[in-house]
């Protein structure tokens, strides 16, 4: 179901005769570090071409390629990768033969053609993630995707050892999305000069913003490919305010910003696991105005023929997520995640998936955004989930070498990831459509799928008994909950990670027309353990 | 500060020589029931002209008038008022001499001119209400306006006795805004045929939607003028779903809707106390789509040269209040008003005043939107107020003749209005700029003006002691809260309507740079009575 947007070129397309392919179309590229896959649907195809080294290839040379299959045509921008090598990458939305022809203002790059034989997606390749069912997500092949994210903002600006350790940690962690910055951070616990910079020049401040450093981007791509192979979406943060002028990547001119954004998209767009996050805490970047963000969102959108998920994350001031170029609302607001009745409110105003990309972090730093207890972190996850929204994790536990997972990666030392893994397991068997509020604005702590599946979350309360009752989603739908339907209940201890089935099967009575809730025939209650952080999973039992 | 939008006429303006005024420009109109004021700024000027009675004057005749003063020019539409009389009304934004000239496609109405000598606003006339300070309101003369609304949806469709009783009740009630429908309601507790209908025809269903009934609108105007004279804003609801086809006013064609909206605006636009509410529960009107509402909002906007406050009120689905033609967000959501931490969230997404025009009603009806306790109603008012938003009242107490204040008016029998009056008194001496959250997303229960004025609301909690501490709004503003500043505290019992001054004057210590809150020098606590529904009013004491 991949929707591809045809990229409009400013210059008219020059028809090119198919000739024998002179381009290198390989699954292994010897001259950079990207690990290309076999040629498969939603894989990464790459055309490499030798070209001019003189002048400034980053600004002097335009290169694009048209990829086509019967009835389908996509134009993607290429880029200069240094050492006289130019590349065009393509993520084929379907299997079969894909022909390509290049277009360039440079003769030796123009009119080159060839083809790729693309096979169906294999193994864990489900394609890029798309919005599905208004508030939820699925991979392009229809497999549900329920984001359980974390943050390692600056993980690709660390030592090789630390980066490898981060990958190892992620391989055993529950997270399927990672927020990560392109540029390095200069911030408390983050005062490290990276090995590579995005531009040619001399650190910390002397940059030629017209010349990119291919090695920097090759490294970034290697890490994104490794996340892809771990089944993790890379929520790539294009700008952030944690530079504060040290390197000046936060205060480039509009032209420089645009050139950088286009170059980034031309390099990363063919990675199926890439999401675009225009910024972290966009409003803390005092050098940019709302109009700049509006423009940059457009630049990314117009450069990206794949329609990757796109968002922008706030500090104190929300961006207007009704912008149709944003696919979902990426929101920092810890307080909204404290209570499902708060979290649910954003759904109504945006009618898009609500991804709480910052709800404060488990940790022990003095700053109030980084010292949640693990219990509170897990609690917020459940509040967001029953509200039909998606929370994000982060960890700020002090470390003798200032290696906090939140930003630099390393190892997870908190108590919440194991409980978040439990929640992820619960969601894996929850309805594919996503958890929806059942009776929004009325019964905040119940989400699910009307008539089929309910999660009831009790938070810090420890009720001794719970009267079996299901809220009605639509009182005018007589099929939703009808007398005689049977339900099985599991008691979930979200902290102690236990699932305790309840022996009784509950048979509901026929609701009266005006009833807001439906009880079982006997009006039964069930006993609960004397713990906080309990939830119930109530699942319809088929009639026979 | 009135901002007037020049109404663009589809036909070019025909220059008319000033001649002696043949129009009746009077402060008393003998042929309808509108009570005109003296000619004063933001008063209602009216030009009456005799014209054709034949054909269909409502559709055949176009009439407008240009009102001008040096440097200012406003074009307003006129309307046919029956009996061969045409009128153009104008609300002058400034005092002085206002000349007018009419324009019409009918000779006898065209090119009529004259002038009004307009004096400065007198007595309680502060002009129309405008948005001020992003989230708040003020009258055009700068006087703060803090909406404390109620609903009597169908009050102008009742018997004369009941309508007079409603006015009498309002005269002694705390409300300065009233939500009211133009059309009658047919709904539980509202099964009454009105004396007048907006269109010519035979009830219940045979209407000529091309012919308005002037007597209906004259009556409506009389009631709006009476509200004006009581200092009450009329939040005029142009459409509503509580017809369900009985009369069919909820399912007119787009052309009929547009003609009705324009006629209404041409009649009511010159009343300074009018607000436009496109609908109550717009999404419950199944015959209209979002595009219809978008269009109708535009029609009202383009017909109204005064820029009256404009909103649209929801059932379950929010309208997109980021529409720049909407001046504020009119929201029904009872759950959002339960907690300041919820209420505050809408401010960020809309960056407009948030008016909770339905937070459920005090009452005892079986429907869950109409059986709040008085305590809960008052509690929600305070939660909304400390969140920097504006709540609305309503009362659904069962009555032997089905006269529920909520919709039909009559008398108030609930316990909340007296407490809401207390809140209104508190707000009367609160900062003119409006109550703002001090540390949004962190300290939900404190609103005010940083460094000057704080309301701390405790809700259902009954803390025995409260440690004196003020949240900081901006930690990087050293002037906001500086060591040595002195504060006076009143304990407000919002239910028992008492103000108890605390003897101690609290002198704050100098905050450290990173402190989120500031205590007094001694770290003192103050004792509180053992009641719920308490608040503190903490006001800066001038240095000498």
């Amino acid at each position: 179901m991949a929707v591809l947007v045809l990229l409009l070129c400013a210059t008219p397309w020059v028809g090119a005769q198919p000739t024998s392919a002179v381009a290198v179309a390989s699954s292994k590229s010897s001259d950079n570090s990207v690990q290309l896959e076999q040629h498969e649907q939603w894989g990464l195809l790459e055309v490499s071409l030798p070209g001019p080294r003189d002048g400034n290839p980053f600004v002097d040379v335009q290169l694009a390629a048209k990829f086509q299959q019967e009835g389908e045509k996509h134009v993607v921008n290429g880029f200069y990768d240094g050492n006289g090598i130019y590349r065009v990458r393509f993520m084929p939305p379907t299997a079969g033969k894909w022909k390509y022809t290049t277009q360039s203002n440079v003769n030796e790059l123009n009119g080159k053609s060839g083809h790729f034989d693309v096979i169906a997606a294999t193994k864990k390749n489900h394609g890029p993630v798309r919005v599905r069912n208004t508030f939820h997500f699925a991979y392009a092949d229809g497999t549900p995707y329920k984001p359980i994210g974390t943050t390692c903002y600056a993980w690709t600006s660390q030592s090789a050892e630390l980066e490898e350790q981060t990958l190892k940690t992620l391989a055993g962690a529950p997270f399927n999305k990672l927020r990560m910055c392109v540029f390095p951070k200069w911030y408390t616990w983050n005062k490290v000069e990276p090995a590579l910079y995005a531009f040619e020049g001399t650190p910390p401040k002397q940059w030629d913003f017209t010349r990119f450093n291919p090695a920097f981007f090759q490294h970034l791509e290697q890490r994104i490919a490794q996340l892809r192979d771990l089944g993790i979406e890379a929520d790539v943060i294009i700008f952030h305010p944690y530079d504060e002028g040290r390197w000046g990547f936060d205060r480039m001119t509009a032209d420089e910003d645009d050139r950088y954004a286009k170059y980034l998209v031309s390099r990363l767009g063919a990675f199926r696991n890439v999401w675009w996050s225009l910024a972290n805490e966009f409003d803390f970047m005092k050098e940019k105005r709302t109009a700049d963000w509006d423009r940059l969102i457009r630049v990314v959108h117009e450069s990206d023929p794949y329609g990757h998920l796109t968002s922008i994350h706030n500090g104190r001031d929300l961006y207007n997520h009704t912008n149709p170029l944003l696919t979902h609302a990426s929101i920092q607001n810890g307080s909204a995640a404290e209570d499902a009745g708060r979290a649910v409110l954003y759904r109504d105003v945006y009618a898009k998936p609500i991804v709480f990309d910052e709800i404060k972090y488990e940790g022990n730093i003095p700053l109030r955004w980084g010292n949640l207890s693990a219990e509170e972190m897990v609690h917020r996850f459940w509040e967001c989930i029953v509200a039909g929204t998606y929370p994000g994790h982060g960890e700020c536990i002090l470390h003798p070498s200032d290696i906090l997972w939140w930003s630099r990666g390393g190892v997870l030392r908190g108590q919440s990831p194991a409980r978040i893994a439990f929640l992820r397991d619960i969601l894996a068997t929850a309805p594919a459509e996503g958890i929806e509020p059942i009776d929004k604005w009325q019964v905040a702590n119940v989400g699910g799928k009307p008539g089929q599946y309910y999660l009831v979350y009790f938070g810090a309360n420890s009720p001794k008994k719970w009267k079996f009752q299901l809220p009605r989603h639509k009182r005018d739908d007589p099929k939703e909950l009808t007398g005689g339907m049977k339900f099985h209940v599991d008691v979930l201890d979200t902290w102690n990670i236990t699932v305790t089935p309840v022996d009784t099967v509950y048979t509901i009575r026929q609701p009266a027309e005006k009833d807001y809730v439906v009880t079982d025939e006997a009006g039964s209650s069930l006993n609960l353990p004397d713990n906080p952080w309990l939830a119930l999973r109530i699942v319809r039992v088929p009639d026979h």
Side-chain angles (χ1 to χ4, degrees), chain A residues 92-345:
Chain A
T94 50
K97 186 173 186 172
W98 280 92
K99 291 195 266 184
Y100 69 85
T101 316
T102 66
Q103 179 192 32
S104 177
N105 60 342
V106 171
N107 248 349
E108 60 187 301
L109 297 172
N110 190 39
K112 305 300 178 188
S113 63
H115 75 271
F116 293 88
D117 291 312
V118 173
I119 62 169
T122 61
K123 292 184 285 185
K124 293 181 178 171
N125 173 1
H126 301 290
V129 175
R130 308 293 186 197
V131 172
R132 188 170 72 168
N133 194 19
T134 307
F135 296 106
H136 304 282
F137 299 96
Y139 292 98
D141 74 353
T143 305
Y145 171 79
K146 298 168 183 177
I148 297 284
T150 187
T151 69
C152 293
Y153 292 115
W155 83 280
T156 60
S157 299
Q158 309 300 321
S159 68
E161 295 70 26
L162 183 52
E163 293 181 9
E164 291 298 331
Q165 189 183 45
T166 302
L167 285 165
K168 201 173 154 196
T169 302
L170 285 168
F175 306 111
N176 60 12
K177 180 168 89 74
L178 184 66
R179 284 183 65 74
M180 51 183 280
C181 300
V182 175
F183 292 131
K185 285 180 68 166
W186 192 260
Y187 196 82
T188 319
W189 306 295
N190 281 273
K191 304 237 160 141
V192 183
E193 282 290 340
L196 294 165
Y197 297 91
F199 303 97
E200 284 187 24
T202 311
K205 280 190 198 299
Q206 290 184 304
W207 307 111
D208 181 350
F209 288 126
T210 70
R211 290 179 183 269
F212 299 101
N213 175 10
F216 172 90
F217 290 94
Q218 289 160 10
H219 172 70
L220 181 69
E221 289 156 6
Q222 180 197 17
R223 296 313 188 194
I224 289 173
Q226 288 170 309
L227 293 179
R228 176 194 66 201
D229 296 341
L230 289 172
I232 297 172
E233 301 292 303
D235 200 356
V236 176
I237 299 166
I238 303 178
F239 295 96
H240 70 70
Y242 324 113
D243 179 316
E244 296 190 345
R246 178 175 178 82
W247 301 293
F249 305 143
D250 58 341
R251 55 200 64 186
M252 298 188 292
T253 66
D255 281 350
E256 289 160 355
D257 282 346
D258 290 359
R259 192 185 307 113
Y260 153 65
K262 286 178 195 168
Y263 187 74
L264 188 73
V265 175
S266 70
R267 295 199 66 118
L268 301 188
F271 286 84
R272 65 174 172 272
N273 64 320
V274 157
W275 300 20
W276 309 122
S277 179
L278 266 291
N280 217 61
E281 296 186 325
F282 80 94
D283 50 314
F284 290 173
M285 298 189 72
K286 296 305 177 196
E287 287 75 19
K288 297 199 198 320
R289 303 272 83 84
T290 298
D292 292 312
W293 296 113
D294 294 347
R295 188 195 75 248
L296 282 163
I297 290 168
R298 218 165 43 240
V299 164
V300 168
H301 174 76
E302 289 170 358
S303 308
D304 170 12
Y306 309 103
H308 283 290
L309 293 170
T310 304
S311 69
I312 181 168
H313 165 278
N314 64 286
R316 282 178 59 90
D317 301 328
L318 293 191
Y319 184 84
N320 180 0
H321 298 288
T322 65
N323 181 334
L325 302 186
L326 299 181
T327 52
H328 61 287
S330 168
I331 294 175
Q332 169 176 196
N333 186 343
S335 80
E338 287 176 38
D339 167 22
R342 294 181 186 171
V344 75
L345 298 184

Side-chain angles (χ1 to χ4, degrees), chain A residues 133-136 329 331 340 342-356 384-390 433-438 440-441 448 473:
Chain A
N133 194 19
T134 307
F135 296 106
H136 304 282
I331 294 175
R342 294 181 186 171
V344 75
L345 298 184
Y346 287 119
R347 287 172 43 109
D348 301 302
V349 298
Y350 294 129
K352 293 179 181 182
I354 305 301
V355 183
F356 286 106
C384 288
I385 288 293
V386 297
T389 65
Y390 294 99
E433 302 90 331
I435 300 293
E436 286 280 299
I438 301 294
K440 74 164 188 179
W441 304 354
H473 180 61

Side-chain angles (χ1 to χ4, degrees), chain A residues 360-393:
Chain A
K360 303 188 176 177
Y361 307 121
E362 179 181 358
N364 58 6
I365 64 172
L367 295 156
R368 63 186 176 185
W369 49 261
N371 54 26
L372 294 186
S373 68
E375 287 85 348
E376 180 65 23
M377 177 99 253
V378 177
H379 168 65
R380 291 178 184 206
F381 263 72
W382 279 86
E383 291 286 340
C384 288
I385 288 293
V386 297
T389 65
Y390 294 99
H393 163 272

